Amino acid sequence: MDRTATLTAMKQAITPACMALGVFLAASTAARADFRLCNNATSRVSVSLAYTDGEMWVSEGWWNLKPGACETLVRGPLAAEFYYVYAMDERGGEWKGKAFMCTRDREFRILGREDCYVRGFDRTGFFEVDTGKEAKNWTVQLTDPAPARPNP
């Protein structure tokens, strides 16, 4: 067999295998489920996340995201319907809410949401993200707040 015939035979054998691998990779990518957060604001943000693992509340942080960056905060299918997010930017802006969780200034993973101050933590208001009962993945998009309008 000459070299051209050998290369042609190899291509014919490899092409179906590569196509099968491509279909497998596409299927595994489509099946992936995560809780992601994207920073669509104009400055860097620091993000913390809270959720229940079915038995206990967990809060953790900090993820630092540059403008335009996305980060996976929870890998795999979502186990909870509600997640809670707190974020702040370099300019002092905040994305917050009324669900209070324990945090601290440096990297953390805190179990429980009670007695934050007594346990030496800060108490921070997180906003609720309702992913629905059937969601397997979710992405939160942080954007700059609308500028306040002056009163006439």
Side-chain angles (χ1 to χ4, degrees), residues 29-43:
T29 302
R32 185 179 181 102
D34 298 316
F35 185 94
R36 294 173 38 90
L37 187 134
C38 294
N39 177 14
N40 294 323
T42 55
S43 63

Side-chain angles (χ1 to χ4, degrees), residues 61-140:
W62 296 96
W63 289 268
N64 295 304
L65 284 79
K66 297 182 286 189
C70 294
E71 183 73 36
T72 299
L73 306 185
V74 176
R75 296 196 183 280
L78 301 184
E81 180 179 348
F82 297 98
Y83 289 83
Y84 298 84
V85 175
Y86 172 79
M88 62 183 164
D89 68 17
E90 301 172 305
R91 300 176 196 150
E94 296 179 292
W95 292 261
K96 60 184 179 178
K98 296 181 180 180
F100 289 93
M101 309 289 173
C102 300
T103 60
R104 63 195 253 182
D105 288 341
R106 59 187 184 276
E107 186 176 330
F108 66 91
R109 178 169 167 49
I110 301 170
L111 301 178
R113 61 185 276 191
E114 312 78 26
D115 304 318
C116 297
Y117 296 127
V118 172
R119 297 190 295 151
F121 302 120
D122 296 319
R123 186 172 176 260
T124 305
F126 286 57
F127 69 87
E128 182 178 87
V129 177
D130 181 352
T131 63
K133 294 183 183 197
E134 302 299 320
K136 300 299 181 216
N137 58 43
W138 199 266
T139 300
V140 172

Side-chain angles (χ1 to χ4, degrees), residues 1-11:
M1 194 182 281
D2 69 7
R3 183 176 173 170
T4 305
T6 303
L7 289 174
T8 303
M10 287 175 64
K11 280 184 188 176

